[in-house]
Amino acid sequence: MKRNPRKLKWTKAFRKSAGKEMIVDTTLTFAARRNIPVRYNRDHIETTLKAMERISEIRVKRERAFYKKRMAGNKERQREADRKLVAENEHLLPRQRASERMALDEMDEERVTVPALEEKRKQKLKQRLLVGGGVEEMDVD
């Protein structure tokens, strides 16, 4: 039976058309086969292998960034859905005692200081792994 590949969720065509996979990325073009024979050259092979490793690192990094960007709003959406569920079924929850309410109020006061922690985290230096080994530090604005 013939089917449209863009409607079958397991196909590459569906994933690309639905925005679930990277479509335009220069690292994907390197994986294409080339049918031109090349004379053996040790230096050429060595540089090719190093380039292949570097390209795979770049591809993994870009795929991770793509995934994070795609999943960025999920946590907020899930939190909103959870809040809505609790609000609808509040009658099923046990009643709170006054002491528990006071403890929750104290915790809310502590949460006010969270933006200071976020600012400190943003000031941290970003680190980049190098191909030959080692770490390079970069300033983040």
Side-chain angles (χ1 to χ4, degrees):
M1 174 183 348
K2 290 186 179 180
R3 295 197 176 181
N4 187 348
R6 281 172 288 163
K7 293 184 179 180
L8 296 174
K9 294 192 178 216
W10 55 269
T11 61
K12 286 280 194 182
F14 171 82
R15 293 187 61 77
K16 286 180 181 178
S17 65
K20 297 186 180 297
E21 209 163 295
M22 292 190 298
I23 302 169
V24 182
D25 191 18
T26 54
T27 60
L28 299 174
T29 60
F30 287 112
R33 279 188 97 140
R34 286 161 184 75
N35 295 325
I36 304 167
V38 179
R39 189 168 185 183
Y40 177 78
N41 182 353
R42 187 180 184 121
D43 296 331
H44 183 68
I45 298 296
E46 184 179 344
T47 55
T48 303
L49 291 175
K50 283 183 182 178
M52 287 169 62
E53 289 176 12
R54 182 71 179 135
I55 289 167
S56 65
E57 288 176 11
I58 292 169
R59 182 181 297 134
V60 167
K61 181 181 168 187
R62 287 182 182 173
E63 285 174 352
R64 195 176 309 125
F66 180 78
Y67 180 79
K68 282 185 178 180
K69 184 178 177 185
R70 207 166 51 92
M71 297 295 161
N74 281 0
K75 194 176 278 186
E76 269 307 310
R77 264 187 249 120
Q78 186 61 41
R79 189 171 287 143
E80 287 299 318
D82 292 344
R83 286 188 181 139
K84 182 180 175 186
L85 182 69
V86 169
E88 288 175 355
N89 300 311
E90 196 170 358
H91 62 280
L92 298 175
L93 295 174
R95 295 278 178 213
Q96 276 187 339
R97 295 185 194 123
S99 60
E100 291 174 348
R101 271 192 231 122
M102 290 174 60
L104 283 175
D105 290 341
E106 289 176 9
M107 289 176 67
D108 287 340
E109 290 174 6
E110 291 176 10
R111 288 185 188 169
V112 174
T113 60
V114 172
L117 295 173
E118 296 258 345
E119 195 170 312
K120 184 178 179 183
R121 185 180 58 135
K122 287 181 181 176
Q123 291 176 353
K124 285 185 180 179
L125 295 175
K126 237 182 187 177
Q127 294 181 347
R128 180 177 147 209
L129 295 174
L130 300 174
V131 174
V135 176
E136 178 183 336
E137 294 185 358
M138 302 180 297
D139 289 331
V140 179
D141 292 337

PDB file of all heavy atoms in Angstrom, residues 84-114:
ATOM      1  N   LYS A  84      -3.290  23.738  36.597  1.00  0.00           N
ATOM      2  CA  LYS A  84      -4.694  23.657  36.206  1.00  0.00           C
ATOM      3  C   LYS A  84      -5.337  22.398  36.798  1.00  0.00           C
ATOM      4  O   LYS A  84      -6.455  22.440  37.319  1.00  0.00           O
ATOM      5  CB  LYS A  84      -4.803  23.639  34.680  1.00  0.00           C
ATOM      6  CG  LYS A  84      -6.217  23.612  34.161  1.00  0.00           C
ATOM      7  CD  LYS A  84      -6.239  23.592  32.653  1.00  0.00           C
ATOM      8  CE  LYS A  84      -7.648  23.450  32.130  1.00  0.00           C
ATOM      9  NZ  LYS A  84      -7.682  23.299  30.685  1.00  0.00           N
ATOM     10  N   LEU A  85      -4.622  21.284  36.755  1.00  0.00           N
ATOM     11  CA  LEU A  85      -5.120  20.031  37.310  1.00  0.00           C
ATOM     12  C   LEU A  85      -5.361  20.152  38.812  1.00  0.00           C
ATOM     13  O   LEU A  85      -6.391  19.702  39.334  1.00  0.00           O
ATOM     14  CB  LEU A  85      -4.128  18.898  37.019  1.00  0.00           C
ATOM     15  CG  LEU A  85      -4.514  17.512  37.485  1.00  0.00           C
ATOM     16  CD1 LEU A  85      -5.692  17.010  36.663  1.00  0.00           C
ATOM     17  CD2 LEU A  85      -3.351  16.568  37.377  1.00  0.00           C
ATOM     18  N   VAL A  86      -4.434  20.783  39.516  1.00  0.00           N
ATOM     19  CA  VAL A  86      -4.591  20.962  40.956  1.00  0.00           C
ATOM     20  C   VAL A  86      -5.774  21.877  41.250  1.00  0.00           C
ATOM     21  O   VAL A  86      -6.561  21.629  42.170  1.00  0.00           O
ATOM     22  CB  VAL A  86      -3.288  21.530  41.578  1.00  0.00           C
ATOM     23  CG1 VAL A  86      -3.516  21.982  43.010  1.00  0.00           C
ATOM     24  CG2 VAL A  86      -2.197  20.482  41.531  1.00  0.00           C
ATOM     25  N   ALA A  87      -5.918  22.956  40.453  1.00  0.00           N
ATOM     26  CA  ALA A  87      -7.022  23.891  40.683  1.00  0.00           C
ATOM     27  C   ALA A  87      -8.373  23.211  40.446  1.00  0.00           C
ATOM     28  O   ALA A  87      -9.336  23.451  41.196  1.00  0.00           O
ATOM     29  CB  ALA A  87      -6.877  25.097  39.757  1.00  0.00           C
ATOM     30  N   GLU A  88      -8.463  22.357  39.440  1.00  0.00           N
ATOM     31  CA  GLU A  88      -9.723  21.675  39.146  1.00  0.00           C
ATOM     32  C   GLU A  88     -10.077  20.635  40.207  1.00  0.00           C
ATOM     33  O   GLU A  88     -11.246  20.407  40.506  1.00  0.00           O
ATOM     34  CB  GLU A  88      -9.657  21.008  37.774  1.00  0.00           C
ATOM     35  CG  GLU A  88      -9.689  21.974  36.618  1.00  0.00           C
ATOM     36  CD  GLU A  88      -9.488  21.280  35.277  1.00  0.00           C
ATOM     37  OE1 GLU A  88      -9.227  20.053  35.261  1.00  0.00           O
ATOM     38  OE2 GLU A  88      -9.580  21.966  34.255  1.00  0.00           O
ATOM     39  N   ASN A  89      -9.057  19.986  40.762  1.00  0.00           N
ATOM     40  CA  ASN A  89      -9.299  18.893  41.712  1.00  0.00           C
ATOM     41  C   ASN A  89      -8.848  19.258  43.122  1.00  0.00           C
ATOM     42  O   ASN A  89      -8.383  18.398  43.873  1.00  0.00           O
ATOM     43  CB  ASN A  89      -8.582  17.626  41.239  1.00  0.00           C
ATOM     44  CG  ASN A  89      -9.065  17.195  39.879  1.00  0.00           C
ATOM     45  OD1 ASN A  89     -10.268  17.119  39.648  1.00  0.00           O
ATOM     46  ND2 ASN A  89      -8.146  16.949  38.980  1.00  0.00           N
ATOM     47  N   GLU A  90      -8.994  20.507  43.474  1.00  0.00           N
ATOM     48  CA  GLU A  90      -8.547  20.969  44.786  1.00  0.00           C
ATOM     49  C   GLU A  90      -9.323  20.298  45.926  1.00  0.00           C
ATOM     50  O   GLU A  90      -8.799  20.111  47.018  1.00  0.00           O
ATOM     51  CB  GLU A  90      -8.707  22.485  44.870  1.00  0.00           C
ATOM     52  CG  GLU A  90      -7.938  23.113  45.994  1.00  0.00           C
ATOM     53  CD  GLU A  90      -7.922  24.619  45.885  1.00  0.00           C
ATOM     54  OE1 GLU A  90      -8.476  25.171  44.934  1.00  0.00           O
ATOM     55  OE2 GLU A  90      -7.355  25.234  46.794  1.00  0.00           O
ATOM     56  N   HIS A  91     -10.541  19.911  45.660  1.00  0.00           N
ATOM     57  CA  HIS A  91     -11.365  19.277  46.696  1.00  0.00           C
ATOM     58  C   HIS A  91     -10.810  17.914  47.121  1.00  0.00           C
ATOM     59  O   HIS A  91     -11.152  17.401  48.187  1.00  0.00           O
ATOM     60  CB  HIS A  91     -12.813  19.128  46.201  1.00  0.00           C
ATOM     61  CG  HIS A  91     -12.944  18.243  45.000  1.00  0.00           C
ATOM     62  ND1 HIS A  91     -12.660  18.692  43.722  1.00  0.00           N
ATOM     63  CD2 HIS A  91     -13.297  16.941  44.895  1.00  0.00           C
ATOM     64  CE1 HIS A  91     -12.857  17.678  42.868  1.00  0.00           C
ATOM     65  NE2 HIS A  91     -13.243  16.619  43.548  1.00  0.00           N
ATOM     66  N   LEU A  92      -9.948  17.311  46.307  1.00  0.00           N
ATOM     67  CA  LEU A  92      -9.369  16.015  46.643  1.00  0.00           C
ATOM     68  C   LEU A  92      -8.137  16.135  47.551  1.00  0.00           C
ATOM     69  O   LEU A  92      -7.720  15.157  48.162  1.00  0.00           O
ATOM     70  CB  LEU A  92      -8.975  15.264  45.373  1.00  0.00           C
ATOM     71  CG  LEU A  92     -10.112  14.921  44.419  1.00  0.00           C
ATOM     72  CD1 LEU A  92      -9.561  14.298  43.155  1.00  0.00           C
ATOM     73  CD2 LEU A  92     -11.111  13.991  45.085  1.00  0.00           C
ATOM     74  N   LEU A  93      -7.562  17.330  47.612  1.00  0.00           N
ATOM     75  CA  LEU A  93      -6.357  17.535  48.412  1.00  0.00           C
ATOM     76  C   LEU A  93      -6.711  17.635  49.893  1.00  0.00           C
ATOM     77  O   LEU A  93      -7.780  18.140  50.254  1.00  0.00           O
ATOM     78  CB  LEU A  93      -5.650  18.825  47.984  1.00  0.00           C
ATOM     79  CG  LEU A  93      -5.086  18.826  46.572  1.00  0.00           C
ATOM     80  CD1 LEU A  93      -4.561  20.205  46.232  1.00  0.00           C
ATOM     81  CD2 LEU A  93      -3.995  17.801  46.426  1.00  0.00           C
ATOM     82  N   PRO A  94      -5.812  17.170  50.780  1.00  0.00           N
ATOM     83  CA  PRO A  94      -6.082  17.307  52.217  1.00  0.00           C
ATOM     84  C   PRO A  94      -5.961  18.780  52.638  1.00  0.00           C
ATOM     85  O   PRO A  94      -5.229  19.554  52.020  1.00  0.00           O
ATOM     86  CB  PRO A  94      -4.991  16.456  52.870  1.00  0.00           C
ATOM     87  CG  PRO A  94      -3.915  16.374  51.852  1.00  0.00           C
ATOM     88  CD  PRO A  94      -4.581  16.459  50.513  1.00  0.00           C
ATOM     89  N   ARG A  95      -6.683  19.161  53.677  1.00  0.00           N
ATOM     90  CA  ARG A  95      -6.644  20.536  54.178  1.00  0.00           C
ATOM     91  C   ARG A  95      -5.280  20.831  54.799  1.00  0.00           C
ATOM     92  O   ARG A  95      -4.667  19.962  55.410  1.00  0.00           O
ATOM     93  CB  ARG A  95      -7.729  20.752  55.232  1.00  0.00           C
ATOM     94  CG  ARG A  95      -9.112  20.633  54.687  1.00  0.00           C
ATOM     95  CD  ARG A  95      -9.484  21.950  54.040  1.00  0.00           C
ATOM     96  NE  ARG A  95     -10.815  21.858  53.456  1.00  0.00           N
ATOM     97  CZ  ARG A  95     -11.158  22.504  52.381  1.00  0.00           C
ATOM     98  NH1 ARG A  95     -10.313  23.286  51.775  1.00  0.00           N
ATOM     99  NH2 ARG A  95     -12.360  22.381  51.893  1.00  0.00           N
ATOM    100  N   GLN A  96      -4.854  22.085  54.685  1.00  0.00           N
ATOM    101  CA  GLN A  96      -3.580  22.489  55.275  1.00  0.00           C
ATOM    102  C   GLN A  96      -3.791  23.035  56.674  1.00  0.00           C
ATOM    103  O   GLN A  96      -4.771  23.730  56.947  1.00  0.00           O
ATOM    104  CB  GLN A  96      -2.928  23.593  54.437  1.00  0.00           C
ATOM    105  CG  GLN A  96      -2.136  23.090  53.279  1.00  0.00           C
ATOM    106  CD  GLN A  96      -1.375  24.236  52.608  1.00  0.00           C
ATOM    107  OE1 GLN A  96      -1.731  25.384  52.761  1.00  0.00           O
ATOM    108  NE2 GLN A  96      -0.369  23.892  51.866  1.00  0.00           N
ATOM    109  N   ARG A  97      -2.838  22.738  57.526  1.00  0.00           N
ATOM    110  CA  ARG A  97      -2.858  23.301  58.871  1.00  0.00           C
ATOM    111  C   ARG A  97      -2.210  24.680  58.819  1.00  0.00           C
ATOM    112  O   ARG A  97      -1.495  25.022  57.884  1.00  0.00           O
ATOM    113  CB  ARG A  97      -2.077  22.405  59.820  1.00  0.00           C
ATOM    114  CG  ARG A  97      -2.711  21.053  59.984  1.00  0.00           C
ATOM    115  CD  ARG A  97      -1.948  20.255  61.028  1.00  0.00           C
ATOM    116  NE  ARG A  97      -2.353  18.876  60.937  1.00  0.00           N
ATOM    117  CZ  ARG A  97      -1.535  17.866  60.726  1.00  0.00           C
ATOM    118  NH1 ARG A  97      -0.256  18.081  60.605  1.00  0.00           N
ATOM    119  NH2 ARG A  97      -1.988  16.648  60.648  1.00  0.00           N
ATOM    120  N   ALA A  98      -2.437  25.474  59.846  1.00  0.00           N
ATOM    121  CA  ALA A  98      -1.870  26.828  59.900  1.00  0.00           C
ATOM    122  C   ALA A  98      -0.341  26.773  59.917  1.00  0.00           C
ATOM    123  O   ALA A  98       0.327  27.597  59.293  1.00  0.00           O
ATOM    124  CB  ALA A  98      -2.392  27.569  61.135  1.00  0.00           C
ATOM    125  N   SER A  99       0.219  25.781  60.619  1.00  0.00           N
ATOM    126  CA  SER A  99       1.687  25.676  60.680  1.00  0.00           C
ATOM    127  C   SER A  99       2.271  25.369  59.305  1.00  0.00           C
ATOM    128  O   SER A  99       3.336  25.873  58.947  1.00  0.00           O
ATOM    129  CB  SER A  99       2.091  24.592  61.688  1.00  0.00           C
ATOM    130  OG  SER A  99       1.547  23.350  61.289  1.00  0.00           O
ATOM    131  N   GLU A 100       1.592  24.546  58.534  1.00  0.00           N
ATOM    132  CA  GLU A 100       2.067  24.224  57.176  1.00  0.00           C
ATOM    133  C   GLU A 100       1.997  25.447  56.276  1.00  0.00           C
ATOM    134  O   GLU A 100       2.890  25.680  55.460  1.00  0.00           O
ATOM    135  CB  GLU A 100       1.240  23.086  56.589  1.00  0.00           C
ATOM    136  CG  GLU A 100       1.472  21.755  57.271  1.00  0.00           C
ATOM    137  CD  GLU A 100       0.532  20.683  56.745  1.00  0.00           C
ATOM    138  OE1 GLU A 100      -0.431  21.016  56.022  1.00  0.00           O
ATOM    139  OE2 GLU A 100       0.760  19.506  57.068  1.00  0.00           O
ATOM    140  N   ARG A 101       0.927  26.251  56.431  1.00  0.00           N
ATOM    141  CA  ARG A 101       0.808  27.477  55.634  1.00  0.00           C
ATOM    142  C   ARG A 101       1.945  28.437  55.940  1.00  0.00           C
ATOM    143  O   ARG A 101       2.514  29.060  55.057  1.00  0.00           O
ATOM    144  CB  ARG A 101      -0.543  28.148  55.902  1.00  0.00           C
ATOM    145  CG  ARG A 101      -1.616  27.657  54.993  1.00  0.00           C
ATOM    146  CD  ARG A 101      -2.860  28.522  55.081  1.00  0.00           C
ATOM    147  NE  ARG A 101      -3.977  27.620  55.309  1.00  0.00           N
ATOM    148  CZ  ARG A 101      -4.811  27.655  56.330  1.00  0.00           C
ATOM    149  NH1 ARG A 101      -4.701  28.590  57.232  1.00  0.00           N
ATOM    150  NH2 ARG A 101      -5.771  26.774  56.452  1.00  0.00           N
ATOM    151  N   MET A 102       2.280  28.555  57.218  1.00  0.00           N
ATOM    152  CA  MET A 102       3.372  29.444  57.618  1.00  0.00           C
ATOM    153  C   MET A 102       4.700  28.975  57.030  1.00  0.00           C
ATOM    154  O   MET A 102       5.520  29.767  56.564  1.00  0.00           O
ATOM    155  CB  MET A 102       3.455  29.535  59.141  1.00  0.00           C
ATOM    156  CG  MET A 102       2.296  30.298  59.764  1.00  0.00           C
ATOM    157  SD  MET A 102       2.307  30.267  61.558  1.00  0.00           S
ATOM    158  CE  MET A 102       3.845  31.038  61.930  1.00  0.00           C
ATOM    159  N   ALA A 103       4.925  27.663  57.020  1.00  0.00           N
ATOM    160  CA  ALA A 103       6.154  27.112  56.448  1.00  0.00           C
ATOM    161  C   ALA A 103       6.215  27.401  54.951  1.00  0.00           C
ATOM    162  O   ALA A 103       7.277  27.750  54.422  1.00  0.00           O
ATOM    163  CB  ALA A 103       6.228  25.612  56.713  1.00  0.00           C
ATOM    164  N   LEU A 104       5.094  27.291  54.254  1.00  0.00           N
ATOM    165  CA  LEU A 104       5.059  27.597  52.821  1.00  0.00           C
ATOM    166  C   LEU A 104       5.326  29.074  52.566  1.00  0.00           C
ATOM    167  O   LEU A 104       6.015  29.437  51.608  1.00  0.00           O
ATOM    168  CB  LEU A 104       3.709  27.197  52.228  1.00  0.00           C
ATOM    169  CG  LEU A 104       3.498  25.706  51.984  1.00  0.00           C
ATOM    170  CD1 LEU A 104       2.070  25.456  51.521  1.00  0.00           C
ATOM    171  CD2 LEU A 104       4.467  25.189  50.943  1.00  0.00           C
ATOM    172  N   ASP A 105       4.797  29.944  53.422  1.00  0.00           N
ATOM    173  CA  ASP A 105       5.054  31.373  53.273  1.00  0.00           C
ATOM    174  C   ASP A 105       6.539  31.688  53.437  1.00  0.00           C
ATOM    175  O   ASP A 105       7.104  32.507  52.712  1.00  0.00           O
ATOM    176  CB  ASP A 105       4.233  32.173  54.297  1.00  0.00           C
ATOM    177  CG  ASP A 105       2.744  32.145  53.973  1.00  0.00           C
ATOM    178  OD1 ASP A 105       2.413  31.841  52.798  1.00  0.00           O
ATOM    179  OD2 ASP A 105       1.930  32.416  54.868  1.00  0.00           O
ATOM    180  N   GLU A 106       7.188  31.022  54.387  1.00  0.00           N
ATOM    181  CA  GLU A 106       8.630  31.222  54.586  1.00  0.00           C
ATOM    182  C   GLU A 106       9.409  30.751  53.361  1.00  0.00           C
ATOM    183  O   GLU A 106      10.374  31.384  52.954  1.00  0.00           O
ATOM    184  CB  GLU A 106       9.094  30.476  55.838  1.00  0.00           C
ATOM    185  CG  GLU A 106       8.612  31.089  57.130  1.00  0.00           C
ATOM    186  CD  GLU A 106       9.006  30.254  58.331  1.00  0.00           C
ATOM    187  OE1 GLU A 106       9.787  29.297  58.161  1.00  0.00           O
ATOM    188  OE2 GLU A 106       8.539  30.560  59.443  1.00  0.00           O
ATOM    189  N   MET A 107       8.979  29.645  52.768  1.00  0.00           N
ATOM    190  CA  MET A 107       9.658  29.144  51.569  1.00  0.00           C
ATOM    191  C   MET A 107       9.492  30.121  50.408  1.00  0.00           C
ATOM    192  O   MET A 107      10.410  30.323  49.617  1.00  0.00           O
ATOM    193  CB  MET A 107       9.119  27.764  51.191  1.00  0.00           C
ATOM    194  CG  MET A 107       9.542  26.668  52.144  1.00  0.00           C
ATOM    195  SD  MET A 107       8.807  25.087  51.734  1.00  0.00           S
ATOM    196  CE  MET A 107       9.582  24.721  50.194  1.00  0.00           C
ATOM    197  N   ASP A 108       8.324  30.751  50.294  1.00  0.00           N
ATOM    198  CA  ASP A 108       8.093  31.731  49.239  1.00  0.00           C
ATOM    199  C   ASP A 108       9.016  32.932  49.406  1.00  0.00           C
ATOM    200  O   ASP A 108       9.500  33.500  48.433  1.00  0.00           O
ATOM    201  CB  ASP A 108       6.634  32.192  49.230  1.00  0.00           C
ATOM    202  CG  ASP A 108       5.701  31.122  48.678  1.00  0.00           C
ATOM    203  OD1 ASP A 108       6.208  30.227  47.969  1.00  0.00           O
ATOM    204  OD2 ASP A 108       4.492  31.193  48.953  1.00  0.00           O
ATOM    205  N   GLU A 109       9.273  33.339  50.659  1.00  0.00           N
ATOM    206  CA  GLU A 109      10.189  34.449  50.908  1.00  0.00           C
ATOM    207  C   GLU A 109      11.601  34.088  50.474  1.00  0.00           C
ATOM    208  O   GLU A 109      12.347  34.929  49.982  1.00  0.00           O
ATOM    209  CB  GLU A 109      10.154  34.830  52.384  1.00  0.00           C
ATOM    210  CG  GLU A 109       8.852  35.483  52.809  1.00  0.00           C
ATOM    211  CD  GLU A 109       8.787  35.709  54.313  1.00  0.00           C
ATOM    212  OE1 GLU A 109       9.807  35.452  54.982  1.00  0.00           O
ATOM    213  OE2 GLU A 109       7.737  36.139  54.786  1.00  0.00           O
ATOM    214  N   GLU A 110      11.997  32.848  50.648  1.00  0.00           N
ATOM    215  CA  GLU A 110      13.329  32.413  50.243  1.00  0.00           C
ATOM    216  C   GLU A 110      13.464  32.386  48.726  1.00  0.00           C
ATOM    217  O   GLU A 110      14.531  32.607  48.183  1.00  0.00           O
ATOM    218  CB  GLU A 110      13.629  31.028  50.815  1.00  0.00           C
ATOM    219  CG  GLU A 110      13.810  31.022  52.312  1.00  0.00           C
ATOM    220  CD  GLU A 110      14.015  29.626  52.848  1.00  0.00           C
ATOM    221  OE1 GLU A 110      14.208  28.692  52.039  1.00  0.00           O
ATOM    222  OE2 GLU A 110      13.979  29.459  54.074  1.00  0.00           O
ATOM    223  N   ARG A 111      12.384  32.134  48.026  1.00  0.00           N
ATOM    224  CA  ARG A 111      12.414  32.072  46.563  1.00  0.00           C
ATOM    225  C   ARG A 111      12.681  33.429  45.934  1.00  0.00           C
ATOM    226  O   ARG A 111      13.089  33.521  44.795  1.00  0.00           O
ATOM    227  CB  ARG A 111      11.107  31.523  46.018  1.00  0.00           C
ATOM    228  CG  ARG A 111      10.932  30.059  46.258  1.00  0.00           C
ATOM    229  CD  ARG A 111       9.684  29.560  45.600  1.00  0.00           C
ATOM    230  NE  ARG A 111       9.417  28.196  45.993  1.00  0.00           N
ATOM    231  CZ  ARG A 111       8.304  27.572  45.747  1.00  0.00           C
ATOM    232  NH1 ARG A 111       7.334  28.172  45.107  1.00  0.00           N
ATOM    233  NH2 ARG A 111       8.133  26.329  46.130  1.00  0.00           N
ATOM    234  N   VAL A 112      12.463  34.500  46.667  1.00  0.00           N
ATOM    235  CA  VAL A 112      12.684  35.845  46.144  1.00  0.00           C
ATOM    236  C   VAL A 112      14.154  36.043  45.823  1.00  0.00           C
ATOM    237  O   VAL A 112      14.509  36.761  44.891  1.00  0.00           O
ATOM    238  CB  VAL A 112      12.187  36.901  47.168  1.00  0.00           C
ATOM    239  CG1 VAL A 112      12.542  38.299  46.716  1.00  0.00           C
ATOM    240  CG2 VAL A 112      10.692  36.753  47.360  1.00  0.00           C
ATOM    241  N   THR A 113      15.052  35.371  46.545  1.00  0.00           N
ATOM    242  CA  THR A 113      16.487  35.547  46.333  1.00  0.00           C
ATOM    243  C   THR A 113      17.019  34.746  45.151  1.00  0.00           C
ATOM    244  O   THR A 113      18.194  34.813  44.841  1.00  0.00           O
ATOM    245  CB  THR A 113      17.260  35.142  47.607  1.00  0.00           C
ATOM    246  OG1 THR A 113      16.976  33.771  47.884  1.00  0.00           O
ATOM    247  CG2 THR A 113      16.863  36.014  48.776  1.00  0.00           C
ATOM    248  N   VAL A 114      16.195  34.002  44.461  1.00  0.00           N
ATOM    249  CA  VAL A 114      16.618  33.171  43.336  1.00  0.00           C
ATOM    250  C   VAL A 114      17.203  33.993  42.175  1.00  0.00           C
ATOM    251  O   VAL A 114      18.199  33.589  41.590  1.00  0.00           O
ATOM    252  CB  VAL A 114      15.465  32.268  42.849  1.00  0.00           C
ATOM    253  CG1 VAL A 114      15.824  31.559  41.569  1.00  0.00           C
ATOM    254  CG2 VAL A 114      15.123  31.264  43.932  1.00  0.00           C
TER     255      VAL A 114
END
